[in-house]
Amino acid sequence: MTTKTQKTPKTPGHLSRRSQELWAEITGSGRWSGARLAILRASLEALDRSDEAREQIASQGLLVKVDGSKMLRTNPLLRLEASSRAQAMAGLERLRLHYPAGGV
């Protein structure tokens, strides 16, 4: 049997400001079990990873030179960004949370 927390859970300090705001908004409406909080935390961590990769892609570009060659390759961070965003969305869906139509 899973116990529910009575008060709003403390926001993990390592999350980005955006994810901290989402945490507060989501957890402020009801009781949360430890398991659900773990899924939410992992989802927001994945969202932060995705955002960080997106920022680096914006500065490096979609194509980069890899291993000192002169050939352009797809930026490997594109894969990280996509998989991290998919992990975040899967976690939010598992919690049955709704997010904007444009994604998060």
mmCIF file of all heavy atoms in Angstrom, residues 19-64:
data_model
loop_
_atom_site.group_PDB
_atom_site.id
_atom_site.type_symbol
_atom_site.label_atom_id
_atom_site.label_comp_id
_atom_site.label_asym_id
_atom_site.label_seq_id
_atom_site.Cartn_x
_atom_site.Cartn_y
_atom_site.Cartn_z
ATOM 1 N N SER A 19 11.313 23.956 -14.535
ATOM 2 C CA SER A 19 10.863 22.689 -13.968
ATOM 3 C C SER A 19 10.431 22.858 -12.513
ATOM 4 O O SER A 19 9.494 22.191 -12.062
ATOM 5 C CB SER A 19 11.951 21.624 -14.090
ATOM 6 O OG SER A 19 12.057 21.219 -15.441
ATOM 7 N N GLN A 20 11.085 23.748 -11.789
ATOM 8 C CA GLN A 20 10.659 24.013 -10.413
ATOM 9 C C GLN A 20 9.258 24.618 -10.388
ATOM 10 O O GLN A 20 8.442 24.268 -9.536
ATOM 11 C CB GLN A 20 11.660 24.934 -9.706
ATOM 12 C CG GLN A 20 12.959 24.244 -9.363
ATOM 13 C CD GLN A 20 13.940 25.152 -8.633
ATOM 14 O OE1 GLN A 20 13.641 26.310 -8.342
ATOM 15 N NE2 GLN A 20 15.113 24.625 -8.347
ATOM 16 N N GLU A 21 8.979 25.495 -11.332
ATOM 17 C CA GLU A 21 7.646 26.091 -11.421
ATOM 18 C C GLU A 21 6.606 25.034 -11.789
ATOM 19 O O GLU A 21 5.498 25.012 -11.233
ATOM 20 C CB GLU A 21 7.641 27.237 -12.425
ATOM 21 C CG GLU A 21 8.408 28.459 -11.947
ATOM 22 C CD GLU A 21 8.590 29.524 -13.005
ATOM 23 O OE1 GLU A 21 8.136 29.330 -14.169
ATOM 24 O OE2 GLU A 21 9.203 30.561 -12.684
ATOM 25 N N LEU A 22 6.954 24.149 -12.719
ATOM 26 C CA LEU A 22 6.043 23.059 -13.080
ATOM 27 C C LEU A 22 5.802 22.143 -11.884
ATOM 28 O O LEU A 22 4.665 21.734 -11.624
ATOM 29 C CB LEU A 22 6.603 22.251 -14.263
ATOM 30 C CG LEU A 22 6.500 22.897 -15.628
ATOM 31 C CD1 LEU A 22 7.319 22.119 -16.653
ATOM 32 C CD2 LEU A 22 5.047 22.977 -16.063
ATOM 33 N N TRP A 23 6.874 21.808 -11.143
ATOM 34 C CA TRP A 23 6.756 20.965 -9.946
ATOM 35 C C TRP A 23 5.751 21.579 -8.971
ATOM 36 O O TRP A 23 4.845 20.903 -8.490
ATOM 37 C CB TRP A 23 8.122 20.808 -9.295
ATOM 38 C CG TRP A 23 8.124 20.050 -8.006
ATOM 39 C CD1 TRP A 23 7.770 20.534 -6.777
ATOM 40 C CD2 TRP A 23 8.474 18.685 -7.800
ATOM 41 N NE1 TRP A 23 7.890 19.560 -5.822
ATOM 42 C CE2 TRP A 23 8.324 18.414 -6.426
ATOM 43 C CE3 TRP A 23 8.912 17.676 -8.649
ATOM 44 C CZ2 TRP A 23 8.596 17.160 -5.881
ATOM 45 C CZ3 TRP A 23 9.182 16.430 -8.094
ATOM 46 C CH2 TRP A 23 9.023 16.185 -6.728
ATOM 47 N N ALA A 24 5.938 22.872 -8.679
ATOM 48 C CA ALA A 24 5.061 23.548 -7.723
ATOM 49 C C ALA A 24 3.616 23.568 -8.219
ATOM 50 O O ALA A 24 2.683 23.320 -7.438
ATOM 51 C CB ALA A 24 5.566 24.966 -7.463
ATOM 52 N N GLU A 25 3.437 23.827 -9.498
ATOM 53 C CA GLU A 25 2.089 23.874 -10.074
ATOM 54 C C GLU A 25 1.419 22.498 -10.016
ATOM 55 O O GLU A 25 0.258 22.377 -9.642
ATOM 56 C CB GLU A 25 2.176 24.354 -11.528
ATOM 57 C CG GLU A 25 0.836 24.419 -12.238
ATOM 58 C CD GLU A 25 0.984 24.841 -13.694
ATOM 59 O OE1 GLU A 25 1.974 25.525 -14.042
ATOM 60 O OE2 GLU A 25 0.104 24.471 -14.486
ATOM 61 N N ILE A 26 2.175 21.473 -10.357
ATOM 62 C CA ILE A 26 1.609 20.123 -10.420
ATOM 63 C C ILE A 26 1.355 19.558 -9.034
ATOM 64 O O ILE A 26 0.288 19.019 -8.760
ATOM 65 C CB ILE A 26 2.549 19.198 -11.224
ATOM 66 C CG1 ILE A 26 2.555 19.614 -12.701
ATOM 67 C CG2 ILE A 26 2.132 17.743 -11.083
ATOM 68 C CD1 ILE A 26 3.666 18.985 -13.523
ATOM 69 N N THR A 27 2.317 19.685 -8.137
ATOM 70 C CA THR A 27 2.178 19.063 -6.812
ATOM 71 C C THR A 27 1.291 19.875 -5.877
ATOM 72 O O THR A 27 0.855 19.362 -4.851
ATOM 73 C CB THR A 27 3.544 18.842 -6.140
ATOM 74 O OG1 THR A 27 4.193 20.104 -5.977
ATOM 75 C CG2 THR A 27 4.400 17.894 -6.947
ATOM 76 N N GLY A 28 1.026 21.114 -6.233
ATOM 77 C CA GLY A 28 0.187 21.956 -5.386
ATOM 78 C C GLY A 28 -1.284 21.585 -5.427
ATOM 79 O O GLY A 28 -2.080 22.081 -4.628
ATOM 80 N N SER A 29 -1.651 20.699 -6.312
ATOM 81 C CA SER A 29 -3.065 20.346 -6.469
ATOM 82 C C SER A 29 -3.315 18.893 -6.084
ATOM 83 O O SER A 29 -3.544 18.047 -6.934
ATOM 84 C CB SER A 29 -3.503 20.589 -7.914
ATOM 85 O OG SER A 29 -2.733 19.786 -8.788
ATOM 86 N N GLY A 30 -3.229 18.589 -4.816
ATOM 87 C CA GLY A 30 -3.566 17.241 -4.372
ATOM 88 C C GLY A 30 -2.444 16.531 -3.664
ATOM 89 O O GLY A 30 -1.369 17.086 -3.426
ATOM 90 N N ARG A 31 -2.697 15.283 -3.355
ATOM 91 C CA ARG A 31 -1.746 14.449 -2.635
ATOM 92 C C ARG A 31 -0.929 13.631 -3.625
ATOM 93 O O ARG A 31 -1.439 13.193 -4.643
ATOM 94 C CB ARG A 31 -2.480 13.511 -1.688
ATOM 95 C CG ARG A 31 -3.220 14.246 -0.607
ATOM 96 C CD ARG A 31 -3.919 13.258 0.267
ATOM 97 N NE ARG A 31 -4.585 13.937 1.361
ATOM 98 C CZ ARG A 31 -5.259 13.324 2.286
ATOM 99 N NH1 ARG A 31 -5.378 12.011 2.260
ATOM 100 N NH2 ARG A 31 -5.829 13.996 3.241
ATOM 101 N N TRP A 32 0.318 13.399 -3.243
ATOM 102 C CA TRP A 32 1.230 12.683 -4.123
ATOM 103 C C TRP A 32 1.925 11.569 -3.376
ATOM 104 O O TRP A 32 2.488 11.793 -2.307
ATOM 105 C CB TRP A 32 2.268 13.646 -4.701
ATOM 106 C CG TRP A 32 1.673 14.501 -5.767
ATOM 107 C CD1 TRP A 32 0.854 15.578 -5.584
ATOM 108 C CD2 TRP A 32 1.801 14.333 -7.162
ATOM 109 N NE1 TRP A 32 0.473 16.097 -6.789
ATOM 110 C CE2 TRP A 32 1.045 15.345 -7.770
ATOM 111 C CE3 TRP A 32 2.483 13.434 -7.957
ATOM 112 C CZ2 TRP A 32 0.956 15.475 -9.148
ATOM 113 C CZ3 TRP A 32 2.398 13.567 -9.325
ATOM 114 C CH2 TRP A 32 1.638 14.580 -9.906
ATOM 115 N N SER A 33 1.911 10.371 -3.933
ATOM 116 C CA SER A 33 2.645 9.251 -3.341
ATOM 117 C C SER A 33 4.123 9.391 -3.695
ATOM 118 O O SER A 33 4.493 10.115 -4.624
ATOM 119 C CB SER A 33 2.114 7.922 -3.886
ATOM 120 O OG SER A 33 2.440 7.787 -5.258
ATOM 121 N N GLY A 34 4.956 8.688 -2.958
ATOM 122 C CA GLY A 34 6.392 8.713 -3.240
ATOM 123 C C GLY A 34 6.707 8.230 -4.646
ATOM 124 O O GLY A 34 7.583 8.777 -5.317
ATOM 125 N N ALA A 35 6.000 7.213 -5.110
ATOM 126 C CA ALA A 35 6.242 6.679 -6.451
ATOM 127 C C ALA A 35 5.886 7.704 -7.524
ATOM 128 O O ALA A 35 6.636 7.889 -8.497
ATOM 129 C CB ALA A 35 5.440 5.398 -6.664
ATOM 130 N N ARG A 36 4.775 8.376 -7.354
ATOM 131 C CA ARG A 36 4.373 9.394 -8.333
ATOM 132 C C ARG A 36 5.337 10.581 -8.325
ATOM 133 O O ARG A 36 5.650 11.149 -9.365
ATOM 134 C CB ARG A 36 2.938 9.844 -8.089
ATOM 135 C CG ARG A 36 1.931 8.769 -8.511
ATOM 136 C CD ARG A 36 0.484 9.146 -8.189
ATOM 137 N NE ARG A 36 0.055 10.428 -8.703
ATOM 138 C CZ ARG A 36 -0.399 10.668 -9.948
ATOM 139 N NH1 ARG A 36 -0.473 9.680 -10.805
ATOM 140 N NH2 ARG A 36 -0.781 11.859 -10.303
ATOM 141 N N LEU A 37 5.836 10.946 -7.139
ATOM 142 C CA LEU A 37 6.814 12.026 -7.056
ATOM 143 C C LEU A 37 8.110 11.641 -7.766
ATOM 144 O O LEU A 37 8.741 12.477 -8.409
ATOM 145 C CB LEU A 37 7.100 12.390 -5.598
ATOM 146 C CG LEU A 37 6.002 13.166 -4.883
ATOM 147 C CD1 LEU A 37 6.338 13.303 -3.403
ATOM 148 C CD2 LEU A 37 5.767 14.518 -5.521
ATOM 149 N N ALA A 38 8.504 10.371 -7.656
ATOM 150 C CA ALA A 38 9.717 9.900 -8.326
ATOM 151 C C ALA A 38 9.557 9.983 -9.848
ATOM 152 O O ALA A 38 10.487 10.380 -10.558
ATOM 153 C CB ALA A 38 10.046 8.478 -7.902
ATOM 154 N N ILE A 39 8.384 9.625 -10.347
ATOM 155 C CA ILE A 39 8.125 9.712 -11.793
ATOM 156 C C ILE A 39 8.134 11.172 -12.235
ATOM 157 O O ILE A 39 8.720 11.520 -13.272
ATOM 158 C CB ILE A 39 6.786 9.031 -12.159
ATOM 159 C CG1 ILE A 39 6.882 7.528 -11.926
ATOM 160 C CG2 ILE A 39 6.405 9.340 -13.610
ATOM 161 C CD1 ILE A 39 5.547 6.803 -12.038
ATOM 162 N N LEU A 40 7.506 12.039 -11.452
ATOM 163 C CA LEU A 40 7.483 13.463 -11.790
ATOM 164 C C LEU A 40 8.887 14.036 -11.799
ATOM 165 O O LEU A 40 9.269 14.761 -12.731
ATOM 166 C CB LEU A 40 6.603 14.233 -10.800
ATOM 167 C CG LEU A 40 6.529 15.744 -11.017
ATOM 168 C CD1 LEU A 40 5.972 16.075 -12.399
ATOM 169 C CD2 LEU A 40 5.692 16.394 -9.925
ATOM 170 N N ARG A 41 9.666 13.701 -10.795
ATOM 171 C CA ARG A 41 11.047 14.206 -10.721
ATOM 172 C C ARG A 41 11.851 13.747 -11.938
ATOM 173 O O ARG A 41 12.538 14.546 -12.579
ATOM 174 C CB ARG A 41 11.711 13.730 -9.437
ATOM 175 C CG ARG A 41 13.130 14.196 -9.285
ATOM 176 C CD ARG A 41 13.726 13.709 -7.984
ATOM 177 N NE ARG A 41 15.134 14.024 -7.931
ATOM 178 C CZ ARG A 41 15.844 14.050 -6.834
ATOM 179 N NH1 ARG A 41 15.282 13.752 -5.679
ATOM 180 N NH2 ARG A 41 17.115 14.342 -6.875
ATOM 181 N N ALA A 42 11.784 12.466 -12.273
ATOM 182 C CA ALA A 42 12.516 11.933 -13.423
ATOM 183 C C ALA A 42 12.049 12.601 -14.719
ATOM 184 O O ALA A 42 12.864 12.897 -15.603
ATOM 185 C CB ALA A 42 12.356 10.421 -13.506
ATOM 186 N N SER A 43 10.757 12.861 -14.828
ATOM 187 C CA SER A 43 10.219 13.509 -16.026
ATOM 188 C C SER A 43 10.748 14.923 -16.170
ATOM 189 O O SER A 43 11.134 15.352 -17.268
ATOM 190 C CB SER A 43 8.690 13.540 -15.974
ATOM 191 O OG SER A 43 8.175 12.239 -15.959
ATOM 192 N N LEU A 44 10.792 15.658 -15.070
ATOM 193 C CA LEU A 44 11.279 17.034 -15.122
ATOM 194 C C LEU A 44 12.790 17.083 -15.329
ATOM 195 O O LEU A 44 13.296 17.994 -15.997
ATOM 196 C CB LEU A 44 10.857 17.789 -13.860
ATOM 197 C CG LEU A 44 9.343 18.003 -13.729
ATOM 198 C CD1 LEU A 44 9.010 18.677 -12.407
ATOM 199 C CD2 LEU A 44 8.775 18.779 -14.905
ATOM 200 N N GLU A 45 13.514 16.107 -14.805
ATOM 201 C CA GLU A 45 14.954 16.025 -15.073
ATOM 202 C C GLU A 45 15.192 15.780 -16.562
ATOM 203 O O GLU A 45 16.089 16.385 -17.172
ATOM 204 C CB GLU A 45 15.594 14.918 -14.239
ATOM 205 C CG GLU A 45 15.689 15.247 -12.767
ATOM 206 C CD GLU A 45 16.057 14.067 -11.893
ATOM 207 O OE1 GLU A 45 15.961 12.907 -12.348
ATOM 208 O OE2 GLU A 45 16.441 14.303 -10.731
ATOM 209 N N ALA A 46 14.388 14.908 -17.158
ATOM 210 C CA ALA A 46 14.505 14.638 -18.598
ATOM 211 C C ALA A 46 14.156 15.882 -19.405
ATOM 212 O O ALA A 46 14.807 16.184 -20.417
ATOM 213 C CB ALA A 46 13.602 13.469 -18.993
ATOM 214 N N LEU A 47 13.156 16.629 -18.956
ATOM 215 C CA LEU A 47 12.781 17.867 -19.632
ATOM 216 C C LEU A 47 13.940 18.868 -19.580
ATOM 217 O O LEU A 47 14.261 19.519 -20.577
ATOM 218 C CB LEU A 47 11.530 18.458 -18.995
ATOM 219 C CG LEU A 47 10.992 19.738 -19.625
ATOM 220 C CD1 LEU A 47 10.583 19.507 -21.071
ATOM 221 C CD2 LEU A 47 9.820 20.254 -18.808
ATOM 222 N N ASP A 48 14.597 18.960 -18.425
ATOM 223 C CA ASP A 48 15.752 19.852 -18.303
ATOM 224 C C ASP A 48 16.889 19.426 -19.230
ATOM 225 O O ASP A 48 17.534 20.267 -19.865
ATOM 226 C CB ASP A 48 16.257 19.892 -16.856
ATOM 227 C CG ASP A 48 15.371 20.733 -15.944
ATOM 228 O OD1 ASP A 48 14.492 21.452 -16.450
ATOM 229 O OD2 ASP A 48 15.573 20.656 -14.712
ATOM 230 N N ARG A 49 17.133 18.109 -19.317
ATOM 231 C CA ARG A 49 18.176 17.599 -20.226
ATOM 232 C C ARG A 49 17.849 17.968 -21.664
ATOM 233 O O ARG A 49 18.722 18.399 -22.428
ATOM 234 C CB ARG A 49 18.275 16.073 -20.116
ATOM 235 C CG ARG A 49 19.476 15.570 -19.403
ATOM 236 C CD ARG A 49 19.673 14.077 -19.521
ATOM 237 N NE ARG A 49 18.492 13.253 -19.607
ATOM 238 C CZ ARG A 49 17.775 12.828 -18.559
ATOM 239 N NH1 ARG A 49 18.118 13.158 -17.346
ATOM 240 N NH2 ARG A 49 16.720 12.073 -18.740
ATOM 241 N N SER A 50 16.600 17.817 -22.020
ATOM 242 C CA SER A 50 16.164 18.149 -23.369
ATOM 243 C C SER A 50 16.361 19.634 -23.656
ATOM 244 O O SER A 50 16.848 20.016 -24.726
ATOM 245 C CB SER A 50 14.693 17.759 -23.539
ATOM 246 O OG SER A 50 14.215 18.168 -24.784
ATOM 247 N N ASP A 51 15.983 20.476 -22.703
ATOM 248 C CA ASP A 51 16.145 21.925 -22.888
ATOM 249 C C ASP A 51 17.612 22.316 -23.005
ATOM 250 O O ASP A 51 17.979 23.156 -23.825
ATOM 251 C CB ASP A 51 15.496 22.683 -21.721
ATOM 252 C CG ASP A 51 13.975 22.636 -21.760
ATOM 253 O OD1 ASP A 51 13.398 22.261 -22.808
ATOM 254 O OD2 ASP A 51 13.356 22.976 -20.734
ATOM 255 N N GLU A 52 18.463 21.698 -22.193
ATOM 256 C CA GLU A 52 19.897 21.996 -22.249
ATOM 257 C C GLU A 52 20.488 21.580 -23.599
ATOM 258 O O GLU A 52 21.275 22.316 -24.206
ATOM 259 C CB GLU A 52 20.636 21.288 -21.119
ATOM 260 C CG GLU A 52 22.083 21.684 -21.012
ATOM 261 C CD GLU A 52 22.790 21.061 -19.816
ATOM 262 O OE1 GLU A 52 22.120 20.610 -18.882
ATOM 263 O OE2 GLU A 52 24.038 21.031 -19.849
ATOM 264 N N ALA A 53 20.079 20.405 -24.073
ATOM 265 C CA ALA A 53 20.546 19.959 -25.389
ATOM 266 C C ALA A 53 20.066 20.912 -26.467
ATOM 267 O O ALA A 53 20.827 21.264 -27.387
ATOM 268 C CB ALA A 53 20.063 18.536 -25.671
ATOM 269 N N ARG A 54 18.824 21.369 -26.381
ATOM 270 C CA ARG A 54 18.250 22.285 -27.364
ATOM 271 C C ARG A 54 19.055 23.585 -27.409
ATOM 272 O O ARG A 54 19.349 24.120 -28.472
ATOM 273 C CB ARG A 54 16.783 22.557 -27.010
ATOM 274 C CG ARG A 54 16.073 23.631 -27.793
ATOM 275 C CD ARG A 54 16.022 23.529 -29.285
ATOM 276 N NE ARG A 54 15.767 22.236 -29.846
ATOM 277 C CZ ARG A 54 16.147 21.859 -31.073
ATOM 278 N NH1 ARG A 54 16.761 22.702 -31.865
ATOM 279 N NH2 ARG A 54 15.895 20.668 -31.527
ATOM 280 N N GLU A 55 19.456 24.093 -26.226
ATOM 281 C CA GLU A 55 20.258 25.324 -26.175
ATOM 282 C C GLU A 55 21.609 25.120 -26.859
ATOM 283 O O GLU A 55 22.075 25.993 -27.594
ATOM 284 C CB GLU A 55 20.466 25.755 -24.725
ATOM 285 C CG GLU A 55 19.218 26.292 -24.061
ATOM 286 C CD GLU A 55 19.404 26.535 -22.568
ATOM 287 O OE1 GLU A 55 20.553 26.565 -22.093
ATOM 288 O OE2 GLU A 55 18.378 26.696 -21.879
ATOM 289 N N GLN A 56 22.244 23.985 -26.617
ATOM 290 C CA GLN A 56 23.543 23.717 -27.239
ATOM 291 C C GLN A 56 23.404 23.537 -28.739
ATOM 292 O O GLN A 56 24.265 23.971 -29.511
ATOM 293 C CB GLN A 56 24.202 22.504 -26.600
ATOM 294 C CG GLN A 56 24.673 22.810 -25.192
ATOM 295 C CD GLN A 56 25.736 21.844 -24.728
ATOM 296 O OE1 GLN A 56 26.341 21.125 -25.507
ATOM 297 N NE2 GLN A 56 25.971 21.833 -23.429
ATOM 298 N N ILE A 57 22.330 22.894 -29.164
ATOM 299 C CA ILE A 57 22.082 22.721 -30.599
ATOM 300 C C ILE A 57 21.909 24.087 -31.252
ATOM 301 O O ILE A 57 22.417 24.337 -32.350
ATOM 302 C CB ILE A 57 20.846 21.826 -30.848
ATOM 303 C CG1 ILE A 57 21.138 20.391 -30.416
ATOM 304 C CG2 ILE A 57 20.418 21.885 -32.308
ATOM 305 C CD1 ILE A 57 19.891 19.519 -30.291
ATOM 306 N N ALA A 58 21.216 24.984 -30.567
ATOM 307 C CA ALA A 58 21.001 26.327 -31.108
ATOM 308 C C ALA A 58 22.329 27.060 -31.315
ATOM 309 O O ALA A 58 22.489 27.802 -32.290
ATOM 310 C CB ALA A 58 20.092 27.132 -30.190
ATOM 311 N N SER A 59 23.288 26.834 -30.424
ATOM 312 C CA SER A 59 24.572 27.518 -30.573
ATOM 313 C C SER A 59 25.515 26.785 -31.531
ATOM 314 O O SER A 59 26.311 27.410 -32.225
ATOM 315 C CB SER A 59 25.245 27.716 -29.211
ATOM 316 O OG SER A 59 25.666 26.488 -28.673
ATOM 317 N N GLN A 60 25.442 25.449 -31.577
ATOM 318 C CA GLN A 60 26.349 24.666 -32.422
ATOM 319 C C GLN A 60 25.817 24.480 -33.834
ATOM 320 O O GLN A 60 26.586 24.300 -34.771
ATOM 321 C CB GLN A 60 26.585 23.278 -31.816
ATOM 322 C CG GLN A 60 27.311 23.292 -30.509
ATOM 323 C CD GLN A 60 27.415 21.904 -29.898
ATOM 324 O OE1 GLN A 60 26.980 20.910 -30.487
ATOM 325 N NE2 GLN A 60 27.971 21.837 -28.710
ATOM 326 N N GLY A 61 24.514 24.442 -33.975
ATOM 327 C CA GLY A 61 23.897 24.191 -35.264
ATOM 328 C C GLY A 61 23.447 22.744 -35.405
ATOM 329 O O GLY A 61 23.840 21.875 -34.621
ATOM 330 N N LEU A 62 22.630 22.491 -36.403
ATOM 331 C CA LEU A 62 22.120 21.140 -36.639
ATOM 332 C C LEU A 62 23.194 20.216 -37.194
ATOM 333 O O LEU A 62 23.160 19.010 -36.984
ATOM 334 C CB LEU A 62 20.932 21.177 -37.607
ATOM 335 C CG LEU A 62 19.690 21.909 -37.121
ATOM 336 C CD1 LEU A 62 18.643 21.954 -38.234
ATOM 337 C CD2 LEU A 62 19.130 21.247 -35.882
ATOM 338 N N LEU A 63 24.155 20.792 -37.916
ATOM 339 C CA LEU A 63 25.255 20.018 -38.490
ATOM 340 C C LEU A 63 26.558 20.469 -37.850
ATOM 341 O O LEU A 63 26.781 21.666 -37.656
ATOM 342 C CB LEU A 63 25.314 20.215 -40.004
ATOM 343 C CG LEU A 63 24.065 19.802 -40.777
ATOM 344 C CD1 LEU A 63 24.202 20.175 -42.248
ATOM 345 C CD2 LEU A 63 23.796 18.322 -40.620
ATOM 346 N N VAL A 64 27.404 19.504 -37.510
ATOM 347 C CA VAL A 64 28.695 19.809 -36.878
ATOM 348 C C VAL A 64 29.785 18.957 -37.509
ATOM 349 O O VAL A 64 29.518 17.893 -38.067
ATOM 350 C CB VAL A 64 28.655 19.560 -35.345
ATOM 351 C CG1 VAL A 64 27.716 20.529 -34.661
ATOM 352 C CG2 VAL A 64 28.274 18.125 -35.026
#
